[in-house]
Amino acid sequence: MNDTHPRRRNPRPGRARKRAIREQAARTGVPYSVAARVIAELGLQPGESIASHGRTIYPCDPIRQRVVDERGRRSFAERLADTRRAAVLPEGRAQHLVGRFPPGRGRVGQLYHGEGRPELLTMLYLAVAVEFPALVPEPADAAWVAEMGEETAVDMVCALLDRQARSMLECDTSELRPRLAQALTAAAAGPDPHMRLVATQLTATPPRPEPLDPPDGEPARPALPLVLSLPFDGVRQILDALLVVSDDGHAPGTRVRVLAGPHTSRTATIVGAVWGALGPPIAYRIQLDGATGTLGMAAGELAVPPGQESLPS
């Protein structure tokens, strides 16, 4: 047997490296020589890929994996009911996304979590509708697409809306809270009866106490629902995972290895993405194993280990 199969007994040196180069070239669409140079310069290990390429959708712990598997087994009628809800703006889409990307735990603790995520997502979509009405799809168009029963089809219709909502979360919360409150006030007084109803329902939540007498020259701030002080990180992660579905990239929870800087070779977890105007993330926020803070790293400075295949969204 051994004489018949000498290659099994004496494997050719460098085969794993050449296979990794071919895989890297295929993933990134570059010539073999370019992929070989990249792997040599960055010290990529077999099976790893640079985080500026590829896609990892919503990495799951065992609990969230069961939820994803259950969603994958839904009947067409159940999928249709969900896509119809996802096409109802602003609150239906918010509820759909919270169910689609449930909270869980990773090496860095809780991900996609926080009380009040549907309310905050609703507020973000409402604010986009007030500030950028041209980005909101026509209700009839969204409803028509929803009849396909495919959530990714609804994602395409809502792509500009979703991206702008995620962009708003790049603001500091001290700036974002007044902006959301102003959107609530505008929607409550606006001409759209559905938006007025949604704004009224949101403000029915007991507001956080405000000073009785605002500083001289400053108007009293509009009330925001109490829950809106909580889930900004979780909502960022939900929208990051959503945008990865269509624009590629690696969702929060993806394990990575640092390729540059003082933390080279250390392992970490992606906790957020940094998006440009178009396309996949240009950078990521990561948390090193054993650390508490986060770091910003360019996508090309991170390697994604093998075995984190894209999951159905």
Side-chain angles (χ1 to χ4, degrees):
M1 292 290 290
N2 289 339
D3 293 338
T4 306
H5 302 282
R7 292 178 63 185
R8 292 185 183 179
R9 183 162 51 95
N10 299 309
R12 188 185 308 166
R15 288 181 62 192
R17 177 180 175 276
K18 292 178 180 179
R19 182 169 57 250
I21 294 172
R22 288 195 299 270
E23 292 174 353
Q24 180 69 17
R27 289 191 193 101
T28 59
V30 300
Y32 181 93
S33 59
V34 175
R37 186 168 63 251
V38 168
I39 286 179
E41 292 175 351
L42 296 179
L44 289 179
Q45 298 175 359
E48 287 185 333
S49 60
I50 302 175
S52 53
H53 301 282
R55 180 170 65 162
T56 309
I57 301 175
Y58 189 63
C60 291
D61 56 49
I63 295 176
R64 286 186 296 169
Q65 184 63 61
R66 288 196 293 270
V67 175
V68 171
D69 292 342
E70 289 173 2
R71 291 190 83 249
R73 292 190 292 267
R74 292 173 299 167
S75 66
F76 177 77
E78 291 171 326
R79 297 201 312 271
L80 180 58
D82 191 37
T83 55
R84 285 173 173 171
R85 179 176 63 168
V88 176
L89 298 167
E91 78 286 6
R93 183 147 188 80
Q95 294 163 3
H96 161 79
L97 293 178
V98 168
R100 183 172 166 184
F101 301 106
R105 295 190 66 85
R107 289 285 295 270
V108 296
Q110 292 182 314
L111 296 166
Y112 302 90
H113 70 290
E115 180 184 357
R117 286 166 295 137
E119 291 85 355
L120 178 53
L121 270 168
T122 300
M123 278 289 301
L124 287 167
Y125 286 131
L126 188 147
V128 175
V130 169
E131 298 183 13
F132 308 96
L135 301 183
V136 181
E138 291 293 332
D141 293 340
W144 183 83
V145 172
E147 294 304 306
M148 299 172 61
E150 296 291 340
E151 57 194 17
T152 52
V154 181
D155 292 346
M156 293 177 64
V157 174
C158 297
L160 296 178
L161 172 71
D162 294 331
R163 191 127 185 165
Q164 183 59 41
R166 177 60 183 86
S167 177
M168 293 182 70
L169 286 170
E170 288 302 307
C171 297
D172 187 86
T173 55
S174 63
E175 300 175 7
L176 183 56
R177 286 180 61 84
R179 190 174 174 184
L180 296 177
Q182 291 167 7
L184 260 179
T185 301
D192 189 317
H194 182 69
M195 292 293 185
R196 289 202 304 269
L197 175 61
V198 172
T200 299
Q201 291 172 338
L202 283 170
T203 53
T205 303
R208 182 179 295 278
E210 300 286 355
L212 295 179
D213 299 315
D216 293 340
E218 291 187 14
R221 288 182 291 172
L224 275 179
L226 179 61
V227 293
L228 292 181
S229 63
L230 299 177
F232 287 100
D233 289 341
V235 168
R236 286 190 192 95
Q237 292 167 348
I238 288 174
L239 289 174
D240 284 342
L242 171 66
L243 295 180
V244 161
V245 174
S246 59
D247 290 319
D248 285 346
H250 304 281
T254 302
R255 298 286 294 161
V256 293
R257 188 172 65 87
V258 179
L259 297 175
H263 303 291
T264 297
S265 296
R266 290 191 61 180
T267 52
T269 300
I270 290 176
V271 295
V274 179
W275 299 87
L278 296 170
I282 58 176
Y284 292 96
R285 297 183 179 95
I286 66 169
Q287 185 170 332
L288 297 170
D289 291 353
T292 56
T294 61
L295 300 171
M297 300 288 295
E301 297 176 333
L302 298 171
V304 180
Q308 299 190 93
E309 294 82 3
S310 298
L311 297 171
S313 58

